[in-house]
Amino acid sequence: MVGIGPGHGVGMTIEARQAMEQAQVVAGYHTYLDLVPDLIAGKEVIGSGMMQEVERCEAAVERAKSGANVAVISSGDPGIYGMAGLVLELVVKLPEALQPVVRIIPGVSAVGSVAAALGAPLMHDFAVISMSDLMTPWEVIEKRVRAAIEADFVIAIYNPKSVKRTEQIEKVREIALQHRKSTTPVGVVRSVSRPDQELVITTLDRFTEKKIDMFTTVIIGNSQTFQSGQFMITPRGYTL
Amino acid sequence: MVGIGPGHGVGMTIEARQAMEQAQVVAGYHTYLDLVPDLIAGKEVIGSGMMQEVERCEAAVERAKSGANVAVISSGDPGIYGMAGLVLELVVKLPEALQPVVRIIPGVSAVGSVAAALGAPLMHDFAVISMSDLMTPWEVIEKRVRAAIEADFVIAIYNPKSVKRTEQIEKVREIALQHRKSTTPVGVVRSVSRPDQELVITTLDRFTEKKIDMFTTVIIGNSQTFQSGQFMITPRGYTL
């Protein structure tokens, strides 16, 4: 399991690069494979094609069982809404003697890349929540949003919106406005660290007017977060 | 601002390594400087010595103002309980014309490294909370712990315990046991990815019996997290 970070070549760890070089087979979502063409050249590829995540990971585990060195890649960190859990779930279902050796090589997650691009919004306790209700009931997601807002966490939102799923992020805004100032800084970052990166620091009352899609991560500041120039900063509490 | 990741050489991003190579001055806590001796050799060093964090960052900003290329290093990610916020707070206090250019290069945070070492405990929504009450009142921390427990977040705990501060983690255990099963998996990882790494997957009722100190990160599973062999896994929700 290899995390390739935000997707530009130098955002990957040295360890991740080495693992990719040693791999005989590479599996991943085509968008991620396209980010590292030099690292997959000449290798057997288990791409997405018509395959869904579960089928792709099953195919990867099968190749590893047959002795191949397989790299399953995730953008960001495979352990944060990536493929690490799914692959491990498949592996631990196998009889122990048949389980391939699994190593998880973490990468810089979107939450870290996006925070770095915005300044320092995560300098205090934070919560990471996905808006995708494909596998999680909205009631659970909403409860988490409410809890995180009420306890003054900085909040990072993954998968904020898709073509078909547009209401969740509006609901987050509504809940947040009940407890935080309308001027609370919100960072909206799309395609972080890629050539087409779009970044804006805006405010809680207006952030959903910005372009938000599946390639976007949103960070909502806590009660102390402020904007200064191009930076969104959550103070840690030092006396300066 | 450079994140060096967990501290072994290959856990750093290529971008972070390049930034270190280009830097003329390196500032950081001595424990972190010691992790990358080859990258600081021959450079001017702003070490900790008798200096505290604020003084060290002020000195780094001063050198940058005078035109030097200064790398302020944090282990893990400078944006997650690292030095990014403090440096930016100092920089934005300066008149705009005097502000040095700041770039934040994220690294793999302890939460990511520790999760990877444990398996895949962060595959669902999670909260990151520091137990340090030096700059945050315990009431705020406790409120966040309670909110995160009640909303079934996986919880990653930084700075769980120090020589003088031992009660907080016991309080977390107590709050968690009011809402989660005593058998909920808890990962306790010390000095992740370093030669002296210690790792254990235990349960909510007993985890505070393990060795926990300032070099330890604790991850408490959510209601779905399970242990299988050497892995702690939080299912994302795929039907397998």
Side-chain angles (χ1 to χ4, degrees):
Chain A
M1 310 299 314
V2 182
I4 61 168
H8 59 97
V10 296
M12 196 183 297
T13 67
I14 295 162
E15 181 178 38
R17 197 175 171 93
Q18 288 169 348
M20 291 291 292
E21 284 164 359
Q22 287 157 14
Q24 297 158 311
V25 182
V26 178
Y29 183 55
H30 62 87
T31 311
Y32 305 153
L33 295 175
D34 292 347
L35 290 169
V36 286
D38 56 315
L39 292 175
I40 61 168
K43 296 186 195 291
E44 181 187 332
V45 170
I46 303 174
S48 24
M50 295 314 289
M51 277 194 284
Q52 296 302 307
E53 286 160 336
V54 175
E55 288 74 26
R56 194 165 66 235
C57 288
E58 279 172 344
V61 171
E62 273 308 308
R63 291 295 285 120
K65 270 172 68 185
S66 69
N69 181 331
V70 184
V72 180
I73 69 171
S74 296
S75 77
D77 187 332
I80 298 182
Y81 305 116
M83 290 294 111
L86 175 50
V87 167
L88 283 181
E89 283 187 77
L90 293 169
V91 165
V92 300
K93 276 181 185 291
L94 298 171
E96 206 168 336
L98 295 181
Q99 293 180 7
V101 174
V102 179
R103 222 176 115 220
I104 295 144
I105 300 175
V108 175
S109 173
V111 67
S113 302
V114 163
L118 289 167
L122 300 180
M123 293 308 299
H124 220 295
D125 306 326
F126 64 96
V128 178
I129 309 177
S130 168
M131 288 297 110
S132 172
D133 58 358
L134 276 180
M135 295 182 289
T136 307
W138 170 248
E139 293 66 36
V140 173
I141 301 171
E142 183 175 351
K143 184 174 184 186
R144 288 178 182 160
V145 169
R146 210 173 279 282
I149 290 286
E150 287 176 7
D152 204 25
F153 281 98
V154 177
I155 303 176
I157 297 174
Y158 279 59
N159 308 311
K161 195 174 178 179
S162 69
V163 177
K164 290 185 186 167
R165 185 170 49 68
T166 59
E167 286 307 307
Q168 286 79 356
I169 196 73
E170 295 292 348
K171 188 75 187 165
V172 170
R173 173 181 167 278
E174 204 177 286
I175 296 169
L177 280 171
Q178 292 165 13
H179 298 271
R180 296 193 191 175
K181 283 180 301 194
S182 60
T183 54
T184 304
V186 176
V188 179
V189 186
R190 187 174 181 278
S191 293
V192 64
S193 303
R194 297 181 194 163
D196 57 337
Q197 172 179 308
E198 295 173 54
L199 180 152
V200 64
I201 301 176
T202 176
T203 51
L204 186 56
D205 52 346
R206 310 204 59 170
F207 79 98
T208 56
E209 296 167 15
K210 305 295 171 186
K211 179 170 166 187
I212 298 179
D213 62 15
M214 290 298 280
F215 303 104
T216 307
T217 305
V218 173
I219 298 185
I220 300 174
N222 72 10
S223 60
Q224 307 302 308
T225 305
F226 63 95
Q227 177 178 5
S228 178
Q230 60 177 308
F231 300 116
M232 176 174 170
I233 303 172
T234 301
R236 180 88 183 91
Y238 294 100
T239 311
L240 303 181
Chain B
M1 312 298 315
V2 182
I4 61 168
H8 59 99
V10 295
M12 196 182 299
T13 67
I14 296 162
E15 180 179 40
R17 198 174 171 93
Q18 288 169 346
M20 292 291 292
E21 284 165 359
Q22 287 159 13
Q24 297 159 312
V25 181
V26 178
Y29 184 54
H30 61 86
T31 310
Y32 306 151
L33 296 176
D34 292 348
L35 291 169
V36 287
D38 57 314
L39 293 175
I40 61 168
K43 297 185 194 290
E44 180 186 332
V45 170
I46 303 173
S48 25
M50 297 313 289
M51 276 194 286
Q52 296 302 307
E53 286 160 334
V54 175
E55 287 75 23
R56 195 165 64 238
C57 288
E58 280 172 344
V61 171
E62 272 308 309
R63 290 294 285 117
K65 270 172 66 186
S66 70
N69 181 333
V70 184
V72 179
I73 70 172
S74 295
S75 77
D77 187 332
I80 298 181
Y81 304 118
M83 290 294 111
L86 175 50
V87 167
L88 283 183
E89 283 187 75
L90 294 169
V91 166
V92 300
K93 277 181 185 290
L94 299 170
E96 205 167 337
L98 295 181
Q99 294 180 7
V101 174
V102 180
R103 220 177 115 220
I104 294 145
I105 299 174
V108 175
S109 173
V111 67
S113 303
V114 162
L118 289 166
L122 299 182
M123 293 307 298
H124 219 295
D125 306 327
F126 64 96
V128 178
I129 309 176
S130 167
M131 289 295 111
S132 172
D133 59 357
L134 276 180
M135 294 181 291
T136 308
W138 169 248
E139 293 66 37
V140 173
I141 302 171
E142 183 176 350
K143 184 175 183 186
R144 288 178 181 160
V145 169
R146 209 173 279 281
I149 290 287
E150 289 176 5
D152 203 26
F153 281 98
V154 177
I155 302 176
I157 298 174
Y158 278 59
N159 308 310
K161 196 173 176 179
S162 69
V163 177
K164 289 186 185 166
R165 185 169 49 70
T166 60
E167 286 307 307
Q168 286 79 355
I169 195 74
E170 296 291 349
K171 189 76 189 163
V172 170
R173 174 181 166 277
E174 205 176 286
I175 296 169
L177 280 170
Q178 292 165 14
H179 298 271
R180 296 194 191 173
K181 284 180 300 199
S182 60
T183 54
T184 303
V186 176
V188 179
V189 186
R190 185 172 181 279
S191 293
V192 63
S193 305
R194 297 181 193 164
D196 58 336
Q197 171 178 308
E198 295 173 54
L199 179 152
V200 64
I201 301 175
T202 177
T203 50
L204 186 58
D205 53 344
R206 311 203 60 170
F207 80 98
T208 55
E209 295 167 14
K210 305 295 171 187
K211 179 171 165 188
I212 297 178
D213 62 14
M214 289 299 280
F215 302 105
T216 306
T217 304
V218 173
I219 297 185
I220 300 175
N222 72 10
S223 60
Q224 307 302 308
T225 306
F226 63 96
Q227 178 177 6
S228 178
Q230 61 178 308
F231 300 117
M232 175 173 170
I233 303 172
T234 301
R236 181 86 182 90
Y238 293 100
T239 310
L240 302 182

